[in-house]
Amino acid sequence: MKIKLLDDLFSKSAPMERRDYEAGDPVFSQGDRALNIFAVVEGQVKLERYTIEGRSVLLHAADAGESFAEASLFSDVYHCNAIAAMPSRINIYPKDHVLGILRAGPENAEMFMALLASQVRVLRTRLELRNILSAKERIFRYLLLAASPENPEVLISVPLKQLATELGLAHETFYRELASLEKDGIIERNDKTIKILRASII
Amino acid sequence: MKIKLLDDLFSKSAPMERRDYEAGDPVFSQGDRALNIFAVVEGQVKLERYTIEGRSVLLHAADAGESFAEASLFSDVYHCNAIAAMPSRINIYPKDHVLGILRAGPENAEMFMALLASQVRVLRTRLELRNILSAKERIFRYLLLAASPENPEVLISVPLKQLATELGLAHETFYRELASLEKDGIIERNDKTIKILRASII
DNA sequence: CGAGTCGTTGAACGGAATCAATCGTCGTGG
DNA sequence: CCACGACGATTGATTCCGTTCAACGACTCG
């Protein structure tokens, strides 16, 4: 979820706390009273849940720019642990204040609902991409989706390595297949953009 | 998103339409005025977007029990095509009526936000599972998450084949690894349940 | 200038997909 | 009522391709 939009919405007329964490610092723990929702400004936060026999399983890794624990707005306690995975800076929005804003008027609530619904859409799409086995095909479809219908040029604003992770590929594979796509004249790479030359990899 | 909860929320004091579609029938098309949101009762609906050169890319396949086009509540037009992938029955909730309900009181809006937030949580978790390369490990973590901390028994209410798809595995692989987990004494399988015997696959 | 990271390519391995075949069950219609 | 088809569950054999390990150049930043 775009952190800026969230900020615009939740920092309205209110103090928002920004705190720094060291790697390993807990942000909150499973069972704690849910008092805040959060957004990662810098760093990464791991969300994990304790399961049977004290074992913990990773639920999500929230990277810079992501919000997390939104569901805690509607729950009394946190249902997982949040731990800074590296030195991190985190925005903290008090739950009661946020709920106040959401209740203040339908516009605010609807803005938040729109953010959530769009997040759902993005996640579903990302999940669908993962159903594509072939690395080349997955990368290509990603590019098709990232390009607008009118403009076949995709702006790459994050390191390719990170893109690879987002697509669920080893970065070596990603580089390789990008190179292969370019060699086959399907895409053209420039400094920070990738241009789709043909809308088919055949 | 649980269709029942949605129904409870959106069918309040209002007519909800239920319509049947044949395979290939369009539910709505990219660019159409967004007038409804939907839920699949039976069948499957494919959501796809037109990209450059008239090519379309699958965004999501909504199965029975899922809602779709929630984001259209906050958009003037649909941004993708929805097509029945097989004979399907679909609930249709008129957007203006739904928005009316959401504006009627904060409880309704908050119920919907809670649904969306929980959906986000589920999708993030599912995505995180996909980051696990090893089929056995992925299946095992899934089971750990599906089991409650107190009760190591997981109720399997859908065909295993479908579970395999959800986990992003070929069903053959899924059966194989389940068998292997059982052989190693890590799980115990009964008719409709799987019991976790050890919280580690080592 | 050195440490760290990104980007890139090569070689080898391993494991999941795929193709294939069988069995059991359930529903259906002749 | 039984034959048949459809589908889920299961196991075997084979193939393929993405991961992994490794090494290197380019670049940035302190």
Side-chain angles (χ1 to χ4, degrees), chain A residues 47-78:
Chain A
L47 303 172
E48 43 190 45
R49 179 180 302 158
Y50 284 136
T51 61
I52 53 177
E53 296 184 28
R55 209 194 130 105
S56 83
V57 175
L58 182 63
L59 295 173
H60 181 57
D63 288 307
E66 275 188 76
S67 58
F68 62 95
E70 306 90 340
S72 70
L73 280 177
F74 313 104
S75 167
D76 285 335
V77 297
Y78 295 113

Side-chain angles (χ1 to χ4, degrees), chain B residues 134-135 172-173 176:
Chain B
S134 152
E172 297 97 324
T173 309
R176 248 186 276 277

Side-chain angles (χ1 to χ4, degrees), chain A residues 2-181:
Chain A
K2 292 292 188 307
I3 199 172
K4 196 190 162 307
L5 295 171
L6 217 90
D7 252 22
D8 288 351
L9 186 56
F10 291 153
S11 298
K12 269 183 192 169
S13 70
M16 172 268 293
E17 195 183 348
R18 172 166 295 187
R19 200 182 292 175
D20 289 321
Y21 293 82
E22 292 304 315
D25 285 354
V27 180
F28 58 76
S29 298
Q30 194 165 338
D32 285 359
R33 280 207 55 178
L35 298 174
N36 302 291
I37 77 171
F38 307 84
V40 183
V41 180
E42 269 178 51
Q44 190 190 56
V45 174
K46 302 226 173 201
L47 303 172
E48 43 190 45
R49 179 180 302 158
Y50 284 136
T51 61
I52 53 177
E53 296 184 28
R55 209 194 130 105
S56 83
V57 175
L58 182 63
L59 295 173
H60 181 57
D63 288 307
E66 275 188 76
S67 58
F68 62 95
E70 306 90 340
S72 70
L73 280 177
F74 313 104
S75 167
D76 285 335
V77 297
Y78 295 113
H79 292 291
C80 62
N81 300 296
I83 297 152
M86 54 181 82
S88 303
R89 172 161 299 176
I90 296 173
N91 281 355
I92 303 178
Y93 308 94
K95 172 177 163 174
D96 50 4
H97 169 243
V98 168
L99 283 176
I101 290 180
L102 292 178
R103 285 169 188 153
E107 317 78 34
N108 294 332
E110 278 172 30
M111 170 71 81
F112 188 53
M113 285 187 258
L115 282 176
L116 286 171
S118 123
Q119 181 75 186
V120 166
R121 197 167 32 79
V122 167
L123 288 169
R124 281 180 184 163
T125 302
R126 213 177 280 182
L127 210 41
E128 198 64 51
L129 267 187
R130 293 292 186 101
N131 286 335
I132 301 170
L133 277 308
S134 153
K136 186 178 293 197
E137 185 74 22
R138 194 188 299 174
I139 294 169
F140 185 62
R141 299 256 182 107
Y142 168 80
L143 291 173
L144 280 176
L145 287 174
S148 50
E150 322 82 46
N151 183 3
E153 204 132 1
V154 181
L155 179 67
I156 306 295
S157 48
V158 297
L160 291 180
K161 207 176 176 181
Q162 189 180 322
L163 252 190
T165 308
E166 213 167 293
L167 289 172
L169 296 170
H171 56 279
E172 296 97 324
T173 309
F174 187 59
Y175 294 135
R176 246 186 278 277
E177 296 303 329
L178 266 189
S180 158
L181 282 170

Side-chain angles (χ1 to χ4, degrees), chain B residues 81-97:
Chain B
N81 299 297
I83 298 152
M86 54 180 82
S88 303
R89 171 161 299 175
I90 296 173
N91 281 355
I92 304 177
Y93 309 94
K95 171 177 164 174
D96 49 6
H97 167 243

